[in-house]
């Protein structure tokens, strides 16, 4: 097992623009903080472009395309000058890559569509960035706990991060990753789905929470905080004792430290 | 709860499009379906809540969907070229749809050359009129050589066909004094149970074996050979009762009615893919065969079947091949029906076709793989969707076929958490999640237009107004920062508590089932500014 | 007065007009150019198998459907047919007009019903069994296809009786669906023959998804497979 000093570093001066996401900014600031810690440890220079707001998927996925367009413009404007844009959210990154160009076309603005596609191509989920761009799976993390991992739907099917999160988790020192039954089944959040169809959403979250509790894990890990919020909200109501934690926070943890 | 209690619906009204309200002076020939039209069903969240409360259905759905999903995954993984097959299926269907006019003309020409008579129906009412007239003609036909048993009554035997459900054919025939007997096992369970199908492939999946036994004992005797009085609820014996009950109908029916899984333009060949053999019975024993098919079912060439006869069985029943597939090219002397009719149906399909994005929904080959993998469908079943086509495909196809003026059609595109599992399994790669989002946009655009007209934007259309405000805030960081400055205050006020329990409406929609963490004291942005001032642009 | 035929012409014209207007975004190029299909038709799917391997696969797949496969030499076929009928307690058997005379000759112990003049549905229903030849079989999917020529008989023959004994020659077995479709295409295009694809016996999973073998079609299928 490697210590942090032995971990391969990014090419000197790899500059990364952090895309915190709107939900993380106000509800889960510890996650983008963990991304900063992790990327700086791995030798990147991290900047936080202050003009950023949101990927707009709440509008897009509820059918409000016109409302999403200015949000897309803002994303493009904020991040256009960076080679690497990294965000701790498979769903936000997925929306950027899969929907921003479409919204540019919807707006009847081919220039925006082109630019949006270009910026999207440089946008990565944290797991993809570490594995594909920095070329590493062992980030020198230490997290001596039993965890179980839920691959969120949009990270799997829209952003398509594949097995990268799992490979990163398995390289963490001291960790035990317990398999999760029906891991690829949706947790029931679905953004506004949870508001419009609360009964079904709750039933789905209930199934997921039960499977998580059955693993005996201490922590539930995922790459999207709102899915974690959904599942852990049910777990907490059941007093199941499983704590939610974002993947980035585990990767940022080191011997003797927690971010 | 008795089986009958299940089948309450909207207040009764004329169940058949285009025909006057039924006035049955005497006893009906076939079991009465539930009252009301599917299009009058409540919006999806309301219907779903009703369905969530049915424990037998939930249990059946969970078991069935899990089993079939697992089998499908195994049987498709077995083929090394599954992804190539999907791409081929998608391309062939795209080619067909983009040149639908020429393929339909070719189909008509070859069907006619093979000896079938081709009819065109613009909508459900027209299709029903055509079929009723054809059946009347066929029942009176002295030309054909009848080889059945006994006196054939005013009746037809039907192969399972969703398109005939879509148009309400059975009720149109009943109106005309003709009994339409379903012969697919699940469809008989549904028909005898005065019920509606809840899945394409296993329409009675919401029933358990005890209910099926009850239905058979109660009703079979009213419509033919009764179930044996000592009938138990072993599926084997239930299927056996259906076999006996139906055999006498097969042996005497003059007219068969079917849909078609595929219609080959190049040769005028129709194809039915089935498991039980009731299809073969209806297709070969009666003297007249009437086939109703949607215009999107056409395939260009016979060779194209090599792709679809691999895609369909593995995607639907999760088998390498289904037990029986029948292909026929017009009537054949001395073998099967002497008279053959094919009704080509539009009923909204050209409307779907007119949308270059939405038209990919017409690629659907009705395999039901998307239903089987959908976590939402698994919870609520098909009756929640107010549509002949439920599940993911139904949510994008039905609002396009029917338009989005009804409450249920407006709600269908939202009947999904957008998890994307459906696209992964669709044999013709319909981008269902993208189309769901696209249809949501259509519904929202219509809502906005309505809001403009009614000029009460806030009261009746709160969501658009809220979205506009939120988007304004999200399109510029300065506004976002100003709006979220208050976010940390909640945390400061609530002190040590780290979770909030139930909250009042509308937050209660979330917190009725979940605890939420108290908002943090400081946003990431503020932290960065404080700790890393000077590092940002 | 609008006759049914006039109305039909109107409907046809209107649907065609709707389609053309719906497709106004599609350029006027031939379908094959407009939408290429990246697929090789008629490909043999198991290059790893020689013919003996294909036959073994076919047997494995048919047995997987719970049908019985009897392998024998051509000369033994008549005896094997009779044995299968006997084993399943059949007393009467219907044979297609063109069935191999040698096979029919070996059925002395049974009541043989020929389909000439045509048997009524009731008569077929009272017949215990049917014997047919076949046209093409596909190994990967375990499918036997009848094209209902003289040696297979009209479709009702192999549908109504409860036991179907079907003779498959080893040279009729191909690897999979694509090759089967290719072999059958001329029968359909040129002769308009009907086809029945049989993969195991009839079945349903409609009740609680619990599979039940045998509903309306023959509940027992015995395949006599020649090896030479």
């Amino acid at each position: 097992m490697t210590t942090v000093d032995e971990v391969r570093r990014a090419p000197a001066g790899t500059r990364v623009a952090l895309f915190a996401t709107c939900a993380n900014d106000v509800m889960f600031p510890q996650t983008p903080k963990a991304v900063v810690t992790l990327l700086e440890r791995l030798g990147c220079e991290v900047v936080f472009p202050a003009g950023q707001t949101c990927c707009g998927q709440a509008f897009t996925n509820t059918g409000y395309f016109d409302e999403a367009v200015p949000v897309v413009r803002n994303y493009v404007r904020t991040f256009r000058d960076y080679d690497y844009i990294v965000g701790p959210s498979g769903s936000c990154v997925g929306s950027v890559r899969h929907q921003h160009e479409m919204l540019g076309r919807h707006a009847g603005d081919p220039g925006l569509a082109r630019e949006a596609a270009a910026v999207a191509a440089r946008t990565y989920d944290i797991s993809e960035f570490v594995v594909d761009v920095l070329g590493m799976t062992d980030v020198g993390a230490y997290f001596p706990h039993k965890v179980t991992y839920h691959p969120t739907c949009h990270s799997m099917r829209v952003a398509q991060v594949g097995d990268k999160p799992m490979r990163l988790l398995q390289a963490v020192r001291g960790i035990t990753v317990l398999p999760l039954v029906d891991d690829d089944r949706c947790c029931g959040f679905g953004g506004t789905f949870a508001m419009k169809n609360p009964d079904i959403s709750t039933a789905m979250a209930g199934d997921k929470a039960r499977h998580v509790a059955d693993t005996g894990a201490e922590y539930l890990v995922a790459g999207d905080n709102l899915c974690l919020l959904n599942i852990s909200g049910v777990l907490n109501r059941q007093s199941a004792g499983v704590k939610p934690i974002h993947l980035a926070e585990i990767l940022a943890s080191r011997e003797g430290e927690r971010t | 709860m008795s089986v009958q209690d299940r089948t309450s619906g909207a207040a009764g009204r004329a169940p058949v499009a285009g025909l006057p309200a039924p006035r049955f002076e005497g006893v009906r020939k076939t079991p009465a379906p539930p009252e009301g039209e599917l299009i009058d069903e409540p919006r999806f969240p309301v219907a779903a809540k009703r369905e969530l409360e049915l424990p037998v259905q939930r249990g059946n759905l969970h078991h069935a969907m899990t089993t079939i999903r697992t089998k499908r995954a195994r049987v498709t993984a077995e083929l090394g070229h599954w992804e190539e097959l999907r791409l081929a299926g998608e391309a062939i269907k795209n080619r067909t749809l983009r040149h639908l006019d020429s393929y339909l003309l070719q189909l008509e020409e070859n069907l006619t050359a093979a000896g079938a008579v081709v009819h065109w129906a613009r909508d459900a009412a027209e299709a029903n009129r055509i079929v009723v007239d054809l059946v009347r003609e066929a029942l009176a036909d002295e030309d054909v050589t009848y080889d059945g048993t006994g006196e054939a009554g005013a009746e037809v035997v039907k192969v399972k066909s969703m398109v005939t459900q879509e148009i309400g054919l059975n009720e149109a025939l009943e109106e005309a004094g003709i009994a339409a007997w379903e012969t697919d096992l699940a469809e008989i369970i549904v028909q005898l149970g005065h019920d509606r199908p809840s899945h394409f492939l296993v329409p009675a999946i919401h029933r358990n074996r005890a209910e099926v036994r009850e239905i058979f004992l109660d009703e079979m005797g009213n419509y033919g050979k009764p179930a044996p009085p000592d009938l138990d609820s072993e599926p084997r014996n239930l299927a056996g009762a259906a076999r006996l009950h139906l055999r006498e109908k097969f042996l005497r029916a003059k007219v068969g009615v079917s849909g078609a899984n595929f219609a080959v333009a190049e040769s005028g060949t129709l194809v039915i893919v089935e498991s039980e053999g009731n299809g073969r019975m209806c297709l070969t024993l009666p003297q007249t065969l009437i086939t109703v098919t949607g215009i999107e079912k056409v395939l260009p060439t016979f060779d194209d079947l090599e792709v679809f006869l691999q895609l369909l069985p593995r995607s639907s029943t999760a088998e390498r091949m289904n037990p029986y597939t029948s292909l026929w090219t017009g009537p054949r002397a001395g073998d099967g029906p002497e008279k053959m009719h094919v009704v080509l149906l539009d009923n909204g399909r050209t409307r779907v076709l007119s949308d270059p994005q939405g038209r990919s929904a017409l690629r659907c080959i009705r395999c039901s793989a998307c239903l089987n993998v959908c976590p939402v469908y698994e919870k609520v079943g098909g009756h929640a969707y107010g549509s002949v086509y439920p599940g993911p495909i139904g949510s994008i196809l039905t609002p396009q076929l029917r338009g989005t003026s009804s409450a249920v059609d407006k709600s269908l595109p939202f009947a999904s958490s957008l998890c994307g599992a459906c696209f992964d399994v669709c044999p013709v790669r319909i981008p269902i999640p993208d189309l769901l989002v696209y249809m949501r946009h259509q519904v929202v655009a219509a809502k906005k237009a309505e809001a403009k007209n009614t000029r009460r934007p806030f009261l009746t259309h709160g969501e658009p107004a809220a979205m506009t405000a939120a988007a304004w805030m999200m399109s510029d960081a300065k506004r976002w920062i100003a709006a979220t400055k208050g976010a940390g205050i909640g945390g400061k006020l609530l002190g040590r508590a780290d979770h909030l329990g139930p909250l009042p409406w509308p937050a209660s929609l979330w917190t009725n089932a979940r605890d939420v963490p108290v908002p943090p004291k400081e946003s990431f942005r503020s932290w960065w500014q404080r700790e890393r001032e000077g590092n940002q642009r | 007065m609008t006759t049914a035929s006039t109305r039909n012409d109107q409907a046809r014209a209107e649907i065609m007009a709707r389609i053309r207007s719906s497709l106004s975004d599609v350029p006027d190029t031939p379908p094959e150019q407009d939408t290429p299909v990246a697929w090789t038709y008629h490909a043999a799917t198991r290059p790893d198998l020689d013919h003996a391997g294909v036959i073994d696969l076919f047997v494995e797949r048919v047995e997987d459907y719970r049908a019985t496969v009897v392998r024998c030499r051509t000369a033994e076929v008549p005896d094997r047919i009779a044995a299968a009928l006997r084993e399943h307690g059949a007393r009467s058997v219907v044979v297609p007009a063109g069935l191999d005379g040698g096979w029919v000759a070996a059925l002395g112990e049974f009541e043989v019903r020929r389909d000439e003049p045509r048997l009524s549905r009731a008569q077929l229903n009272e017949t215990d069994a049917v014997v047919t030849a076949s046209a093409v079989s596909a190994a990967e999917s375990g499918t036997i296809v009848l094209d209902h020529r003289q040696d297979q008989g009209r479709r009702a023959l192999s549908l109504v009786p409860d036991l179907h004994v079907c003779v498959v020659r080893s040279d009729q077995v191909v690897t999979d669906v694509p090759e089967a479709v290719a072999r059958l295409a001329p029968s359909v295009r040129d002769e308009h023959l009907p086809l029945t694809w049989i993969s195991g016996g009839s079945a349903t999973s409609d009740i609680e998804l619990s599979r039940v073998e045998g509903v309306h079609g023959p509940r027992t299928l015995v395949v006599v497979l020649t090896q030479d």
Side-chain angles (χ1 to χ4, degrees):
Chain A
M1 288 293 178
T2 47
T3 65
V4 67
D5 301 306
E6 292 162 354
V7 162
R8 221 165 84 225
R9 294 291 221 296
T14 300
R15 199 163 186 248
V16 175
L18 172 65
F19 169 41
T21 80
C22 65
N24 286 334
D25 186 18
V26 294
M27 290 169 71
F28 313 100
Q30 73 277 14
T31 298
K33 283 181 200 170
V35 172
V36 174
T37 304
L38 174 65
L39 290 178
E40 286 177 345
R41 188 167 85 218
L42 298 179
C44 299
E45 182 201 340
V46 181
V47 299
F48 178 73
Q52 67 183 270
T53 52
C54 169
C55 69
Q57 67 168 307
F59 305 104
T60 317
N61 290 339
T62 315
Y64 289 84
F65 288 8
D66 298 334
E67 287 72 5
V69 170
V71 181
V72 171
R73 280 192 204 285
N74 189 62
Y75 184 89
V76 169
R77 189 169 48 226
T78 304
F79 289 109
R80 60 160 56 108
D81 294 330
Y82 297 95
D83 290 336
Y84 300 110
I85 304 133
V86 178
S89 168
S91 77
C92 300
V93 168
S95 177
V96 168
R97 293 209 292 243
H98 193 66
Q99 295 177 316
H100 279 199
E101 184 188 355
M102 178 276 286
L103 288 164
R105 276 185 273 115
H106 167 78
D109 186 343
L112 174 62
R114 253 193 321 273
E115 268 225 271
V119 179
R122 304 196 296 273
T123 302
Y124 301 84
D125 176 64
I126 180 66
S127 66
E128 297 175 304
F129 184 74
V130 173
V131 174
D132 290 340
V133 179
L134 300 184
M136 53 184 86
T137 49
D138 184 342
V139 300
Y142 175 68
F143 194 75
H145 299 284
K146 289 188 287 191
V147 313
T148 191
Y149 174 68
H150 167 60
T152 59
C153 297
H154 288 185
S155 73
M156 255 202 305
R157 300 191 183 100
V158 185
Q160 297 185 353
V161 300
D163 63 352
K164 291 165 195 137
M166 190 56 94
R167 286 161 60 196
L168 287 166
L169 271 178
Q170 275 160 349
V172 173
R173 225 159 68 253
I175 204 170
T176 307
V177 183
L178 300 164
L180 177 64
V181 169
D182 281 350
D183 62 344
D184 64 348
R185 300 286 283 165
C186 179
C187 75
F189 176 57
T192 48
F193 175 78
M195 307 303 149
K196 289 176 187 276
N197 288 278
D199 302 291
I200 307 176
S201 173
T202 305
M204 289 164 70
D207 284 353
K208 181 64 70 176
R210 196 170 28 90
H211 288 310
V212 168
D214 285 348
T215 62
E218 301 161 65
Y219 287 90
L220 167 66
V221 196
D224 280 283
N225 276 320
L226 290 176
C227 300
L228 275 174
L229 177 69
N230 180 43
I231 307 167
S232 65
V234 176
L235 283 168
N236 221 64
R237 187 61 63 85
Q238 294 170 358
S239 305
V242 184
K243 298 182 278 292
I245 187 168
H246 191 284
L247 174 68
E249 293 164 50
I250 291 185
L251 298 178
S253 300
R254 283 200 291 175
E255 185 111 45
E257 301 175 18
R258 261 301 304 279
T259 45
Chain B
M1 177 170 77
S2 109
V3 154
Q4 305 304 337
D5 293 347
R6 250 197 128 270
T7 56
S8 58
R13 35 178 284 184
V16 179
L19 288 180
R23 274 141 166 250
F24 295 109
E25 247 105 71
V27 176
R28 283 181 58 103
K29 293 196 160 203
T30 60
E35 289 181 352
E37 294 250 37
L38 284 175
I39 202 173
D40 296 322
E41 283 280 294
R43 31 187 281 274
F44 180 82
V46 173
K49 194 179 160 82
R50 176 192 76 207
E51 297 296 315
L52 275 170
E53 279 151 28
L54 301 170
V56 168
Q57 175 173 270
R58 265 179 91 152
N60 278 10
L61 283 169
H62 178 68
H63 168 69
M65 301 297 105
T66 311
T67 307
I68 242 188
R69 269 203 296 277
T70 313
K71 282 179 71 179
R72 185 221 149 261
R74 192 175 56 234
V75 87
T76 54
E78 184 183 84
L79 280 185
H81 55 289
W82 183 250
E83 283 311 309
E84 283 100 312
L85 267 171
R86 288 179 78 210
L87 288 162
E90 174 187 9
I92 295 168
K93 279 287 181 175
N94 277 349
R95 175 186 286 180
T96 312
L97 292 168
R98 288 168 68 84
H99 302 273
L100 192 61
D101 50 342
S102 59
Y103 286 122
L104 283 175
L105 290 177
Q106 193 186 12
L107 175 68
E108 178 189 47
E109 193 187 311
N110 289 310
L111 280 169
T112 310
V117 180
V118 177
H119 309 260
W120 297 77
R122 287 163 279 199
D123 56 26
E126 186 160 41
N128 287 333
R129 256 198 313 269
I130 294 169
V131 175
V132 167
D133 286 345
L134 288 173
V135 173
R136 280 193 179 123
E137 216 177 276
L139 291 172
D141 196 347
E142 307 273 295
D143 238 3
V144 295
T145 315
Y146 180 64
D147 67 346
T149 58
E151 276 297 314
E155 61 186 357
V156 305
V157 286
K158 286 187 69 204
V159 191
K160 177 173 170 330
S161 157
M162 276 182 287
V163 75
T164 61
Q165 254 149 36
E166 183 190 322
I167 63 177
L169 178 65
N170 292 8
E171 279 307 283
L173 287 167
E174 177 78 43
E175 277 278 301
I178 299 162
W181 303 119
E182 294 292 347
T183 64
D184 177 272
L185 178 58
E187 293 290 356
I188 310 169
I189 296 170
V190 167
Q191 183 173 47
L192 292 174
H194 303 268
D195 198 356
R196 287 198 174 108
S198 65
H199 187 284
F200 299 174
L201 200 65
V202 284
I205 198 63
H206 55 290
R207 297 284 195 191
N208 68 11
R209 57 184 73 181
E211 290 176 319
V212 174
R213 172 182 169 273
E214 220 182 289
I215 290 169
F216 282 3
L217 285 169
D218 286 347
E219 298 280 13
M220 269 185 174
N222 294 333
Y223 303 102
K225 195 183 186 86
D230 60 346
L231 180 66
D232 64 19
S233 55
E234 275 301 309
R236 195 170 20 99
N237 297 327
L238 295 168
R243 178 188 169 98
L244 286 174
H245 176 80
L246 285 171
R247 189 141 288 228
E248 59 179 22
K249 295 188 163 97
F250 291 138
L251 295 184
R252 71 171 190 249
K254 275 184 155 184
V255 186
V257 174
S258 79
N261 291 95
F262 306 106
V264 180
E266 180 198 28
S267 53
T269 304
L270 298 171
V271 185
I272 291 271
V273 173
E274 60 151 337
S275 297
E276 296 165 35
N278 60 302
R280 292 173 68 190
M281 292 285 183
C282 297
L283 298 173
T284 57
L285 297 184
Q287 271 65 46
T288 302
L289 175 63
I290 301 165
T291 300
V292 183
T293 178
I295 53 178
E296 84 283 25
K297 293 304 194 75
V298 62
L299 286 182
T301 69
F302 190 77
D303 285 342
D304 292 322
L305 287 174
E306 78 172 55
V307 171
F308 289 93
L309 290 181
Q310 293 188 74
L311 286 173
L312 181 55
R314 292 189 192 243
S315 301
S316 62
T317 51
E319 302 172 294
R320 293 186 183 111
M321 187 59 75
N322 53 294
Y324 300 131
T325 300
S326 300
L327 297 85
W328 72 101
T329 308
R332 179 168 168 78
D335 182 351
E338 297 171 44
K339 304 261 174 95
M340 234 170 237
H341 296 271
V342 181
V343 182
L344 300 176
L345 176 74
D346 180 353
N347 203 34
R349 286 152 177 77
T350 48
R351 189 221 305 255
V352 184
L353 194 64
S354 67
D355 185 327
Q357 197 171 345
R359 71 169 67 123
S360 59
L362 291 175
R363 299 205 286 260
C364 179
I365 60 175
R366 310 289 193 264
C367 70
S368 78
C370 60
L371 273 68
N372 299 338
V373 85
C374 178
V376 173
Y377 178 87
E378 186 183 309
K379 287 277 170 256
V380 300
H383 291 163
Y385 293 79
S387 152
V388 168
Y389 309 107
I393 184 64
S395 301
I396 53 165
L397 185 58
T398 304
Q400 292 192 81
L401 285 172
R402 297 198 299 213
T404 52
S405 45
S406 74
V408 65
D409 286 312
K410 283 191 179 68
S411 70
L412 286 178
F414 294 90
S416 163
S417 65
L418 298 180
C419 80
C422 48
F423 172 68
D424 285 352
V425 300
C426 177
V428 288
R429 294 170 48 93
I430 300 170
I432 301 175
D434 288 346
L435 286 176
L436 284 164
V437 170
Y438 176 67
M439 292 301 303
R440 291 177 185 194
H441 169 64
Q442 311 278 64
V443 170
V444 163
K447 253 195 198 173
K448 284 183 180 174
E450 213 185 307
K452 256 205 185 115
N453 293 341
T454 61
R455 284 186 219 163
R456 291 167 63 205
F458 187 77
L459 290 170
T460 54
H461 297 277
E463 187 188 76
M467 285 289 180
T468 308
W472 180 84
M473 186 180 73
M474 297 287 209
S475 55
D476 185 301
K478 288 194 285 301
R479 297 180 205 141
W480 168 250
I481 292 165
T484 57
K485 258 193 177 137
I489 291 177
K492 291 185 181 120
L493 285 178
L494 293 159
R496 289 250 190 90
D498 67 353
H499 274 92
L500 298 172
L503 294 175
W505 195 92
S508 62
L509 290 175
W510 182 266
T511 63
N512 275 347
R514 306 165 188 76
D515 290 345
V516 287
V518 163
K521 294 187 169 60
E522 181 180 45
S523 70
F524 173 77
R525 194 179 294 261
S526 313
W527 173 85
W528 178 275
Q529 206 164 358
R530 197 167 45 71
E531 291 282 315
R532 303 294 187 96
E533 200 174 15
N535 280 18
Q536 55 175 322
R537 290 198 10 350
Chain C
M1 186 185 83
T2 316
T3 61
S5 145
T6 320
R7 209 166 36 228
N8 194 51
D9 290 339
Q10 285 170 351
R12 182 180 186 273
E14 195 179 318
I15 293 175
M16 280 295 136
R18 287 176 188 171
I19 293 174
R20 284 170 185 143
S21 122
S22 294
L23 294 173
S24 55
D25 62 299
V26 177
D28 194 15
T29 33
E32 296 75 22
Q33 256 178 270
D34 171 60
T35 319
V37 174
W39 177 257
T40 310
Y41 288 84
H42 312 323
T45 57
R46 296 296 300 265
D48 55 312
L49 294 176
D50 62 4
H51 194 65
V54 170
I55 300 292
D56 285 342
L57 178 62
F58 173 68
V59 173
E60 187 194 305
R61 291 289 154 90
V62 172
E63 287 179 340
D64 211 30
Y65 293 136
R66 292 196 254 256
T68 310
V69 181
V70 176
R71 300 171 85 149
C72 68
R73 287 176 289 114
T74 305
E76 298 170 307
V77 167
D79 283 341
R80 292 295 196 267
I81 295 174
L85 293 171
R86 211 179 297 130
E87 220 173 278
H88 288 91
R91 276 172 310 214
S92 56
V93 55
V94 57
V95 298
L99 196 69
D100 186 307
W103 303 354
V104 181
L107 299 176
E109 73 202 80
F110 306 100
E111 188 204 322
V112 174
R113 297 173 181 176
R114 291 170 193 276
D115 196 33
E116 244 155 41
R118 240 172 72 150
L119 296 169
S120 69
R121 297 185 218 176
Q123 287 172 314
L124 275 178
N125 193 43
E126 284 147 27
T127 309
D128 298 329
V130 57
V131 180
T132 71
S134 58
V136 176
S137 285
E140 181 83 49
S141 60
T143 304
I144 299 165
V145 185
L146 305 189
D147 65 7
H148 301 287
R149 289 178 195 276
Q150 295 277 47
D151 60 351
Q152 299 154 61
R154 65 186 169 106
R155 289 170 285 173
L157 293 196
S158 43
L159 169 64
V160 180
D162 216 5
L163 165 65
H164 178 192
V165 180
C166 183
V167 182
V168 175
R169 290 195 327 260
S170 62
D171 65 286
Q172 292 176 319
V173 183
V174 297
T175 57
D176 201 355
V177 173
E179 288 181 278
V181 168
R183 279 219 189 168
L184 293 161
S187 316
V188 171
R189 286 194 193 113
D190 306 332
E191 299 174 75
H192 292 179
L193 289 176
L195 302 179
T196 305
W197 291 43
I198 300 168
S199 309
S202 93
T204 178
S205 302
D206 277 334
I207 300 174
E208 293 178 1
L209 216 73
S210 161
R211 190 179 172 89
V212 173
E213 314 279 309
V215 193
H216 303 292
R219 284 182 289 191
T220 309
L221 173 65
V222 176
V223 180
V224 176
L225 174 65
T226 67
Q227 309 224 96
D228 45 19

